[in-house]
Amino acid sequence: MDTTRISRFGFDVAGGELDRAFKRLTALNNCSVDGLHCHISTAARSTESYARRTQRILELTDYYFKNKQPNFIDIGGGFYGKMTEDLKSQFDGYIPKYHEYAEAVAPQLKSKYRDNSGPELIIEPGVAIVSDVLNFVAKVVGIKTVRSRQIALVVGSVHNVKPTGTDKNLSLRVYGNDENAEQRKLAGQVDIVGYTCMEHDCLYKDYSGEIGIGDYAVFENMGAYTVVFKPPFIRPNPPIISYDSIQNEYTLIRRRETSQDVFSTYVI
């Protein structure tokens, strides 16, 4: 959560909303409040922020569960996941490892609830786990130079690789196509752009290697929202293929979406 902006989510503690909600729920005969949950994301995603939220939620459990111990405490998600070195280098701050997040949270609960007698600790590291499980492959179908700007057009879009609007360049490898080795190549400071009619559709800014028609751009650190946020804008969703490096086998996980899939829910 941006600390300069008031979030629309959850029950506000400072304004008394959480207090009113807790009293209303506990007054119901068929309702039991068993724990507290927070889900806050900061730009830094630092271990210090997780230490502070853990401290605060423990203080709130002391206040709301005076006569009993809660069954669970949920500190939410927002953790950094695994990243390649070139992606890490684009962040200003330190990228914590999983065990460093644990060291910021777990000792506080262990100190308060000794002998493993405390509530269940719940975390939600979904994005952190699956943010690097996929690669996105896009074929280069066009190149052009507009004044001083070099541009390579691929069969993919920013919606495939940056659906949440990040300004970071994902890790990228370009594989040359030997059959097109004689064709003209762009080299140095090339913008790799997508098929949509949107000016902001740039998958990778200032690529510094060679790239030409027929080559394949492979984007790494894909997963999580890069699959579910892709709209059917201009081109339907691509297939997802799994590769087993031990058996050297490919498996189709999701077939390519068709125009019929996109229009199937329309009734006129």
Side-chain angles (χ1 to χ4, degrees):
M1 180 181 68
D2 185 348
T3 56
T4 63
R5 186 177 183 181
I6 298 175
S7 175
R8 65 187 178 95
F9 297 106
F11 297 109
D12 179 40
V13 177
E17 189 177 10
L18 176 61
D19 198 55
R20 290 190 292 272
F22 195 91
K23 289 178 180 177
R24 182 175 181 180
L25 291 172
T26 53
L28 299 174
N29 292 329
N30 61 344
C31 181
S32 174
V33 181
D34 289 339
L36 291 179
H37 166 235
C38 71
H39 196 110
I40 303 167
S41 181
T42 65
R45 305 183 184 220
S46 65
T47 54
E48 291 79 6
S49 71
Y50 284 87
R52 288 195 299 271
R53 79 183 62 176
T54 303
Q55 178 185 357
R56 182 59 175 144
I57 202 167
L58 287 175
E59 292 171 352
L60 289 171
T61 57
D62 284 342
Y63 178 78
Y64 287 110
F65 294 88
K66 295 182 178 68
N67 300 321
K68 67 173 185 176
Q69 180 176 287
N71 291 334
F72 71 88
I73 291 174
D74 188 335
I75 62 168
F79 306 96
Y80 276 126
K82 294 179 181 178
M83 286 186 275
T84 54
E85 291 303 319
D86 59 326
L87 183 55
K88 283 183 181 180
S89 67
Q90 298 176 62
F91 290 83
D92 295 330
Y94 176 71
I95 308 297
K97 298 178 177 61
Y98 293 155
H99 72 87
E100 292 173 299
Y101 284 121
E103 290 167 357
V105 174
Q108 294 191 61
L109 277 80
K110 186 173 180 60
S111 175
K112 183 174 182 61
Y113 302 103
R114 300 186 181 278
D115 301 323
N116 295 321
S117 61
E120 179 184 9
L121 172 63
I122 300 174
I123 61 173
E124 303 173 38
V127 173
I129 293 173
V130 300
S131 61
D132 69 335
V133 298
L134 298 175
N135 292 338
F136 177 71
V137 182
K139 188 175 183 178
V140 181
V141 294
I143 58 175
K144 65 189 298 186
T145 301
V146 182
R147 299 183 213 171
S148 60
R149 186 185 184 192
Q150 298 190 108
I151 299 168
L153 173 66
V154 299
V155 185
S157 81
V158 71
H159 298 298
N160 293 113
V161 300
K162 300 179 183 180
T164 56
T166 178
D167 59 350
K168 305 291 190 299
N169 278 331
L170 298 181
S171 299
L172 172 68
R173 290 174 289 157
V174 174
Y175 292 89
N177 188 333
D178 294 338
E179 295 179 359
N180 299 283
E182 301 302 320
Q183 291 201 30
R184 183 171 70 93
K185 298 265 189 177
L186 299 178
Q189 307 301 305
V190 180
D191 287 347
I192 300 175
V193 303
Y195 54 72
T196 75
C197 55
M198 311 303 290
E199 192 67 65
H200 74 275
D201 191 0
C202 183
L203 290 75
Y204 195 100
K205 188 169 180 60
D206 294 333
Y207 174 68
S208 59
E210 282 194 342
I211 190 168
I213 294 175
D215 293 347
Y216 289 88
V218 180
F219 297 86
E220 302 178 26
N221 270 106
M222 299 282 296
Y225 297 120
T226 53
V227 173
V228 295
F229 272 17
K230 164 66 176 69
F233 180 46
I234 296 185
R235 289 185 66 91
N237 282 303
I240 298 177
I241 300 170
S242 173
Y243 173 62
D244 186 334
S245 59
I246 298 176
Q247 301 294 329
N248 193 28
E249 293 179 347
Y250 293 89
T251 303
L252 183 67
I253 302 297
R254 183 185 71 182
R255 67 169 173 82
R256 180 175 59 184
E257 194 175 37
T258 67
S259 297
Q260 184 178 356
D261 294 324
V262 176
F263 290 107
S264 63
T265 57
Y266 289 82
V267 296
I268 296 178

